[in-house]
Amino acid sequence: GEDVEQSLFLSVREGDSSVINCTYTDSSSTYLYWYKQEPGAGLQLLTYIFSNMDMKQDQRLTVLLNKKDKHLSLRIADTQTGDSAIYFCAAGSGNTGKLIFGQGTTLQVKP
Amino acid sequence: DGGITQSPKYLFRKEGQNVTLSCEQNLNHDAMYWYRQDPGQGLRLIYYSQIVNDFQKGDIAEGYSVSREKKESFPLTVTSAQKNPTAFYLCASMGRGKNTEAFFGQGTRLTVV
Protein backbone atom coordinates (compact mmCIF):
# COMPACT_ATOMS: atom_id res chain seq x y z
CA GLY A 1 0.00 0.00 0.00
CA GLU A 2 0.93 3.65 0.11
CA ASP A 3 3.68 4.59 2.52
CA VAL A 4 5.57 7.72 3.52
CA GLU A 5 8.86 7.51 5.43
CA GLN A 6 10.83 10.15 7.32
CA SER A 7 13.80 10.15 9.63
CA LEU A 8 12.64 10.60 13.22
CA PHE A 9 15.01 13.19 14.64
CA LEU A 10 17.20 16.09 13.54
CA SER A 11 19.27 18.40 15.72
CA VAL A 12 20.84 21.64 14.44
CA ARG A 13 22.34 24.81 15.88
CA GLU A 14 20.51 28.11 15.67
CA GLY A 15 21.40 29.91 12.45
CA ASP A 16 22.28 26.73 10.56
CA SER A 17 20.16 25.26 7.77
CA SER A 18 17.96 22.24 8.47
CA VAL A 19 17.13 19.64 5.87
CA ILE A 20 14.32 17.17 6.53
CA ASN A 21 13.94 14.29 4.10
CA CYS A 22 10.94 12.19 3.09
CA THR A 23 10.31 9.32 0.70
CA TYR A 24 6.96 8.10 -0.58
CA THR A 25 5.84 5.05 -2.51
CA ASP A 26 2.69 6.07 -4.37
CA SER A 27 3.69 7.25 -7.83
CA SER A 28 0.20 8.70 -8.35
CA SER A 29 0.81 11.21 -5.55
CA THR A 30 -0.22 14.52 -6.96
CA TYR A 31 0.34 16.85 -4.03
CA LEU A 32 3.13 16.72 -1.46
CA TYR A 33 2.87 18.68 1.74
CA TRP A 34 4.94 19.76 4.71
CA TYR A 35 3.23 20.40 8.03
CA LYS A 36 4.52 21.65 11.37
CA GLN A 37 3.10 20.49 14.69
CA GLU A 38 3.85 22.17 18.00
CA PRO A 39 3.11 20.34 21.29
CA GLY A 40 -0.60 19.72 21.88
CA ALA A 41 -1.64 21.52 18.71
CA GLY A 42 -3.05 20.60 15.34
CA LEU A 43 -1.04 20.63 12.14
CA GLN A 44 -0.05 23.86 10.47
CA LEU A 45 0.44 23.74 6.71
CA LEU A 46 3.90 25.13 5.91
CA THR A 47 4.10 24.61 2.20
CA TYR A 48 3.21 22.17 -0.54
CA ILE A 49 4.40 21.27 -4.00
CA PHE A 50 2.53 19.95 -6.98
CA SER A 51 4.03 16.84 -8.54
CA ASN A 52 4.94 18.56 -11.81
CA MET A 53 7.28 20.94 -9.97
CA ASP A 54 10.92 20.34 -8.96
CA MET A 55 11.34 23.11 -6.46
CA LYS A 56 9.35 25.66 -4.53
CA GLN A 57 10.75 28.46 -2.40
CA ASP A 58 8.79 30.38 0.20
CA GLN A 59 10.84 32.77 2.33
CA ARG A 60 13.11 30.58 4.51
CA LEU A 61 11.58 27.34 3.22
CA THR A 62 12.73 25.46 0.13
CA VAL A 63 11.04 22.28 -1.03
CA LEU A 64 12.83 19.97 -3.47
CA LEU A 65 11.03 17.13 -5.25
CA ASN A 66 12.74 14.28 -7.07
CA LYS A 67 9.78 12.54 -8.63
CA LYS A 68 11.87 9.76 -10.18
CA ASP A 69 13.22 8.73 -6.76
CA LYS A 70 9.99 9.72 -4.95
CA HIS A 71 12.04 11.87 -2.60
CA LEU A 72 10.96 15.14 -1.03
CA SER A 73 12.98 17.47 1.16
CA LEU A 74 12.31 20.57 3.21
CA ARG A 75 15.15 23.00 3.82
CA ILE A 76 14.77 25.65 6.50
CA ALA A 77 17.34 28.41 6.16
CA ASP A 78 18.65 30.28 9.24
CA THR A 79 16.89 27.90 11.63
CA GLN A 80 15.56 29.55 14.78
CA THR A 81 14.61 28.10 18.18
CA GLY A 82 10.97 28.79 17.28
CA ASP A 83 11.33 26.26 14.46
CA SER A 84 11.65 23.46 17.03
CA ALA A 85 8.64 21.20 16.37
CA ILE A 86 7.62 18.00 14.64
CA TYR A 87 7.54 18.21 10.85
CA PHE A 88 5.30 15.91 8.84
CA CYS A 89 5.56 15.05 5.20
CA ALA A 90 2.31 13.99 3.47
CA ALA A 91 1.47 12.64 0.03
CA GLY A 92 -1.92 13.17 -1.56
CA SER A 93 -3.08 10.79 -4.26
CA GLY A 94 -4.95 12.27 -7.15
CA ASN A 95 -6.39 8.82 -7.91
CA THR A 96 -7.68 7.63 -4.55
CA GLY A 97 -8.04 10.94 -2.74
CA LYS A 98 -6.04 9.54 0.19
CA LEU A 99 -3.69 11.78 2.15
CA ILE A 100 -0.96 9.70 3.81
CA PHE A 101 1.50 11.00 6.42
CA GLY A 102 4.99 10.08 7.47
CA GLN A 103 5.88 9.44 11.10
CA GLY A 104 7.13 12.97 11.63
CA THR A 105 10.64 14.36 12.16
CA THR A 106 11.35 16.06 15.48
CA LEU A 107 13.54 19.10 14.85
CA GLN A 108 15.58 20.26 17.82
CA VAL A 109 17.26 23.66 17.50
CA LYS A 110 20.06 24.35 19.96
CA PRO A 111 20.95 27.94 20.86
CA ASP B 1 -12.99 33.60 8.59
CA GLY B 2 -12.71 30.38 6.63
CA GLY B 3 -11.45 27.39 8.52
CA ILE B 4 -11.95 23.96 9.95
CA THR B 5 -13.23 23.51 13.49
CA GLN B 6 -13.10 20.49 15.73
CA SER B 7 -15.00 20.17 18.96
CA PRO B 8 -14.64 19.55 21.77
CA LYS B 9 -10.93 20.09 22.40
CA TYR B 10 -10.91 17.58 25.27
CA LEU B 11 -13.30 14.66 25.70
CA PHE B 12 -13.57 12.03 28.39
CA ARG B 13 -15.44 8.82 27.84
CA LYS B 14 -16.27 5.88 30.04
CA GLU B 15 -15.39 2.44 28.78
CA GLY B 16 -18.22 0.89 26.78
CA GLN B 17 -19.68 4.20 25.63
CA ASN B 18 -19.86 5.57 22.11
CA VAL B 19 -18.72 9.15 21.58
CA THR B 20 -18.95 11.47 18.58
CA LEU B 21 -16.29 14.01 17.58
CA SER B 22 -17.37 16.99 15.53
CA CYS B 23 -15.59 18.41 12.47
CA GLU B 24 -16.98 21.36 10.52
CA GLN B 25 -15.44 23.33 7.67
CA ASN B 26 -16.56 26.45 5.81
CA LEU B 27 -13.87 26.26 3.13
CA ASN B 28 -16.21 24.66 0.58
CA HIS B 29 -13.83 21.69 0.45
CA ASP B 30 -15.04 18.45 -1.08
CA ALA B 31 -12.67 16.06 0.72
CA MET B 32 -12.49 15.50 4.47
CA TYR B 33 -10.31 13.20 6.55
CA TRP B 34 -10.01 11.79 10.06
CA TYR B 35 -6.66 10.80 11.55
CA ARG B 36 -5.56 9.36 14.83
CA GLN B 37 -2.27 10.37 16.45
CA ASP B 38 -0.76 8.46 19.36
CA PRO B 39 2.06 9.89 21.52
CA GLY B 40 5.30 10.06 19.55
CA GLN B 41 3.60 8.63 16.48
CA GLY B 42 2.63 9.85 13.06
CA LEU B 43 -0.92 10.25 11.76
CA ARG B 44 -2.91 7.20 10.81
CA LEU B 45 -5.88 7.53 8.47
CA ILE B 46 -9.20 6.35 9.93
CA TYR B 47 -11.78 7.38 7.30
CA TYR B 48 -11.97 9.81 4.43
CA SER B 49 -14.68 11.25 2.24
CA GLN B 50 -14.22 12.77 -1.20
CA ILE B 51 -17.81 13.84 -1.68
CA VAL B 52 -21.09 14.17 0.19
CA ASN B 53 -22.82 10.87 1.00
CA ASP B 54 -19.70 8.86 0.26
CA PHE B 55 -16.74 7.79 2.41
CA GLN B 56 -14.00 5.18 2.44
CA LYS B 57 -12.14 3.29 5.14
CA GLY B 58 -8.60 4.28 5.87
CA ASP B 59 -5.92 2.10 7.43
CA ILE B 60 -7.45 1.78 10.92
CA ALA B 61 -11.24 2.04 10.48
CA GLU B 62 -12.19 -0.78 12.87
CA GLY B 63 -14.17 0.51 15.85
CA TYR B 64 -14.99 3.84 14.16
CA SER B 65 -17.86 5.10 12.03
CA VAL B 66 -18.49 8.30 10.06
CA SER B 67 -21.20 10.05 8.09
CA ARG B 68 -21.10 12.74 5.40
CA GLU B 69 -24.63 14.06 5.07
CA LYS B 70 -23.48 17.64 4.47
CA LYS B 71 -20.44 19.00 2.68
CA GLU B 72 -19.46 21.05 5.73
CA SER B 73 -19.60 18.28 8.30
CA PHE B 74 -17.80 14.96 8.83
CA PRO B 75 -18.46 13.62 12.34
CA LEU B 76 -16.51 10.66 13.69
CA THR B 77 -18.04 8.20 16.15
CA VAL B 78 -15.68 6.21 18.32
CA THR B 79 -17.63 3.09 19.24
CA SER B 80 -17.25 0.74 22.17
CA ALA B 81 -15.70 -1.74 19.73
CA GLN B 82 -12.56 0.41 19.49
CA LYS B 83 -10.16 -1.37 21.86
CA ASN B 84 -7.79 1.49 22.58
CA PRO B 85 -9.54 4.79 21.82
CA THR B 86 -7.41 7.14 23.94
CA ALA B 87 -5.59 9.33 21.39
CA PHE B 88 -5.44 12.71 19.70
CA TYR B 89 -7.89 12.93 16.77
CA LEU B 90 -7.32 15.30 13.87
CA CYS B 91 -9.71 16.26 11.11
CA ALA B 92 -8.61 17.74 7.78
CA SER B 93 -10.24 19.05 4.63
CA MET B 94 -8.95 19.55 1.12
CA GLY B 95 -10.27 21.21 -2.00
CA ARG B 96 -10.09 19.99 -5.58
CA GLY B 97 -8.06 21.09 -8.55
CA LYS B 98 -4.57 22.43 -8.97
CA ASN B 99 -2.63 23.88 -6.07
CA THR B 100 -5.09 22.52 -3.55
CA GLU B 101 -4.19 22.75 0.13
CA ALA B 102 -5.17 20.47 3.02
CA PHE B 103 -6.02 22.21 6.28
CA PHE B 104 -6.33 20.74 9.76
CA GLY B 105 -8.46 21.45 12.78
CA GLN B 106 -6.86 21.90 16.18
CA GLY B 107 -7.65 18.34 17.26
CA THR B 108 -9.68 16.58 19.93
CA ARG B 109 -7.91 14.74 22.73
CA LEU B 110 -10.04 11.75 23.74
CA THR B 111 -9.38 9.99 27.01
CA VAL B 112 -11.15 6.85 28.14
CA VAL B 113 -11.58 6.69 31.91
Side-chain angles (χ1 to χ4, degrees):
Chain A
E2 305 94 339
D3 196 18
V4 176
E5 297 278 341
Q6 298 177 239
S7 53
L8 295 181
F9 187 77
L10 176 66
S11 180
V12 300
R13 292 224 171 265
E14 193 172 17
D16 289 349
S17 291
S18 307
V19 179
I20 302 172
N21 293 301
C22 169
T23 58
Y24 60 97
T25 59
D26 185 2
S27 56
S28 73
S29 294
T30 313
Y31 315 103
L32 296 136
Y33 302 87
W34 284 103
Y35 288 87
K36 177 182 180 182
Q37 187 181 36
E38 297 187 10
L43 270 69
Q44 174 196 354
L45 177 64
L46 288 177
T47 187
Y48 64 94
I49 189 166
F50 194 56
S51 60
N52 67 355
M53 299 166 67
D54 298 322
M55 184 181 89
K56 182 177 180 182
Q57 188 151 2
D58 185 0
Q59 299 183 331
R60 292 191 298 123
L61 305 178
T62 302
V63 179
L64 294 177
L65 174 61
N66 180 330
K67 195 174 176 182
K68 174 176 165 288
D69 294 339
K70 300 191 192 73
H71 181 268
L72 183 73
S73 67
L74 174 70
R75 179 177 180 268
I76 305 172
D78 187 25
T79 313
Q80 303 297 308
T81 54
D83 294 325
S84 293
I86 303 175
Y87 290 80
F88 288 94
C89 166
S93 169
N95 290 349
T96 66
K98 272 189 173 184
L99 183 60
I100 302 295
F101 282 78
Q103 314 93 301
T105 300
T106 298
L107 175 63
Q108 179 189 69
V109 183
K110 296 179 182 176
Chain B
D1 279 36
I4 178 166
T5 304
Q6 288 185 244
S7 61
K9 190 170 180 181
Y10 298 96
L11 189 56
F12 295 88
R13 185 195 96 173
K14 290 184 180 177
E15 277 195 42
Q17 284 183 338
N18 291 357
V19 65
T20 298
L21 283 60
S22 168
C23 180
E24 304 275 332
Q25 53 98 3
N26 60 5
L27 299 163
N28 200 32
H29 282 171
D30 287 303
M32 296 186 76
Y33 304 82
W34 273 107
Y35 295 89
R36 170 183 171 136
Q37 186 179 29
D38 293 286
Q41 305 287 315
L43 278 71
R44 293 184 289 169
L45 182 62
I46 305 173
Y47 268 98
Y48 63 108
S49 167
Q50 296 185 73
I51 199 165
V52 176
N53 291 323
D54 189 40
F55 49 83
Q56 288 79 38
K57 291 183 179 180
D59 300 318
I60 55 163
E62 187 175 347
Y64 299 98
S65 66
V66 292
S67 62
R68 188 85 188 277
E69 295 175 5
K70 297 187 298 182
K71 190 175 188 178
E72 304 80 27
S73 179
F74 191 41
L76 174 75
T77 297
V78 184
T79 75
S80 55
Q82 169 48 238
K83 298 283 187 281
N84 185 18
T86 295
F88 190 45
Y89 291 87
L90 287 157
C91 177
S93 70
M94 185 163 72
R96 286 191 185 272
K98 211 171 182 180
N99 296 329
T100 189
E101 300 179 7
F103 293 105
F104 277 80
Q106 286 302 302
T108 293
R109 189 165 299 280
L110 173 65
T111 304
V112 173
V113 295

